[in-house]
Amino acid sequence: MAGPSQPPAWMAAAARRWLEDAGAKGDGTAGRAFNALPLSGVRVALAERGRALCSLRVPAHLTDAEGNWHTGAIAAAADDVCAAAIMSVEGIIKVSVHYDISYFSPAKLHEEVEMDGRVVEHKGRMTAVTVEIRKKDSGQLVAIGRQWMTASRPKGSQSKI
């Protein structure tokens, strides 16, 4: 009996490119996409077969008054990494229908973090995905996110705006 088929290579390449493009657009230049802001300067280590692994040095514009990586920016970056993990196996960006995030320790300005998003299950149009965010030097857990995501419209449909 044959095992599950591997997703086409273009899906992983598209996920990597999407994350890298968002990180490049988040550099403060005009016209950047909304999802680019929390990924400013992201470096993608891996985007393949249901996994997206990247690192980020916390930039000043994503910190709070105490110099901690803002919790909203963490949540947005986690969402983007989860979306890329799904894209690497499904070839599309999905949207969150349920999102849960737990925060464990703060990451400070200029501290490097690693975000590891993984697809854990598929049920119809729904995909479950998790992300762990850790301080790169110590491995200390910053946050864990869990999401159910779905396609905003069926594959192949065209929006008519």
Side-chain angles (χ1 to χ4, degrees):
M1 181 174 190
S5 65
Q6 293 294 324
W10 70 264
M11 291 181 183
R16 174 182 284 278
R17 191 171 45 255
W18 184 76
L19 281 169
E20 289 172 343
D21 287 352
K25 289 177 183 170
D27 66 0
T29 58
R32 66 179 174 228
F34 175 75
N35 66 312
L37 188 59
L39 294 177
S40 301
V42 72
R43 290 171 308 285
V44 182
L46 179 75
E48 65 182 26
R49 293 187 303 265
R51 186 173 180 207
L53 176 66
C54 49
S55 60
L56 172 75
R57 192 164 300 280
V58 177
H61 67 273
L62 296 180
T63 58
D64 62 17
E66 286 81 39
N68 296 319
W69 191 16
H70 193 283
T71 56
I74 294 170
D79 183 60
D80 288 342
V81 170
C82 287
I86 292 172
M87 181 189 263
S88 75
V89 290
E90 297 190 36
I92 60 172
I93 295 289
K94 290 190 165 185
V95 296
S96 300
V97 293
H98 178 81
Y99 188 9
D100 178 79
I101 191 164
S102 298
Y103 299 97
F104 295 89
S105 63
K108 295 287 191 183
L109 174 64
H110 302 304
E111 193 163 22
E112 191 168 9
V113 296
E114 195 167 66
M115 299 175 281
D116 190 357
R118 296 174 187 250
V119 171
V120 294
E121 189 170 349
H122 298 280
K123 290 206 181 225
R125 290 180 54 198
M126 303 284 287
T127 304
V129 64
T130 62
V131 62
E132 282 190 9
I133 302 172
R134 295 183 177 275
K135 295 178 182 182
K136 195 160 186 177
D137 287 342
S138 67
Q140 184 179 19
L141 190 60
V142 173
I144 293 177
R146 295 166 296 279
Q147 295 187 66
W148 276 102
M149 299 179 94
T150 190
S152 59
R153 56 185 173 265
K155 286 184 183 178
S157 71
Q158 304 258 340
S159 69
K160 294 179 183 174
I161 301 176

